[in-house]
Amino acid sequence: MFGCFFSLHFAVTVLCLIWLTKHTVDSVQLSAPEKITAPYGGSVTVSCQYEHQFRENTKYWCKGPVYDLCTIVVKTPKNRPGNRSSIADDKEAGVFTVTMTSLRDSDEGSYWCVVATSGRNIYSRVRLSVSHTVVTTTVTTPTSSSLEHDEMRWWATLRWILFILMLCCLASIHIAVWRIKGTRKICVQQFQYQNSNIYD
């Protein structure tokens, strides 16, 4: 019984580790504005910040409600000729920017800042809204505020603290199971010894 409980607890801990690691890494390695609004017929510039270890990686901007099915709009190192979208990668600053011009209603939707890696790509969603109430053409460069970065670091730290607590709990259960098994073994040995004395 204790063995099954220990195995179940270990499996839950491993799954939590995978979830914590994935979300913590993704949130730290790539950041982008969640929502932006741009004028109809105007233009917008979106900044996607990444860690310096990805300076030489390919970056791209794709559109679609689900990342796995999104369509690439533009990517580094070259832009598609004649496209209303362009991309520029500032490797020193660790930021790549996407500019979309002559915005239309059809441009609304979910987009994804993506950094291609040898494993699973890193991505962050950006929701674009096209507004008809703004008549002037403006360029907006949304960036993550210091408050958002502080919240992200706080949440990442909290996740690791929870993981460490789970490991401590797992270790405590392991020690408890080991002690219970040891106590049972001693009791069985004492019982067998007493029985042997009775028959003697």
Side-chain angles (χ1 to χ4, degrees), residues 127-197:
R127 292 183 178 89
L128 172 64
S129 297
V130 177
S131 174
H132 285 265
T133 58
V134 182
V135 294
T136 57
T137 301
T138 59
V139 177
T140 306
T141 308
T143 55
S144 298
S145 64
S146 59
L147 178 61
E148 290 174 339
H149 283 293
D150 289 341
E151 289 179 353
M152 188 166 56
R153 284 194 296 267
W154 177 84
W155 180 229
T157 303
L158 178 61
R159 285 170 173 165
W160 284 112
I161 291 174
L162 292 174
F163 171 68
I164 291 171
L165 289 175
M166 283 190 294
L167 281 182
C168 293
C169 182
L170 181 63
S172 300
I173 292 174
H174 180 71
I175 293 172
V177 171
W178 178 76
R179 286 182 175 176
I180 290 172
K181 286 183 178 179
T183 304
R184 282 186 173 182
K185 186 176 180 180
I186 293 173
C187 290
V188 170
Q189 289 175 348
Q190 289 177 348
F191 180 75
Q192 291 174 346
Y193 176 75
Q194 289 174 358
N195 285 344
S196 64
N197 288 338

Side-chain angles (χ1 to χ4, degrees), residues 41-130:
S43 62
V44 65
T45 299
V46 182
S47 297
C48 307
Q49 187 170 7
Y50 59 87
E51 290 190 350
H52 281 250
Q53 59 180 312
F54 302 114
R55 284 180 294 182
E56 302 304 324
N57 293 53
T58 298
K59 290 88 179 178
Y60 61 89
W61 174 254
C62 67
K63 181 180 181 181
V66 180
Y67 164 71
D68 294 318
L69 301 176
C70 72
T71 302
I72 296 177
V73 178
V74 65
K75 68 177 182 178
T76 61
K78 296 181 180 180
N79 298 330
R80 293 180 179 179
N83 201 299
R84 292 183 295 114
S85 299
S86 61
I87 188 170
D89 186 11
D90 187 342
K91 297 180 180 180
E92 294 301 319
V95 176
F96 69 92
T97 56
V98 177
T99 301
M100 299 177 64
T101 60
S102 304
L103 293 172
R104 309 164 183 169
D105 290 331
S106 59
D107 291 325
E108 277 195 337
S110 294
Y111 291 83
W112 303 85
C113 292
V114 184
V115 175
T117 67
S118 56
R120 181 173 175 79
N121 292 344
I122 302 167
Y123 52 88
S124 181
R125 174 152 57 176
V126 179
R127 292 183 178 89
L128 172 64
S129 297
V130 177

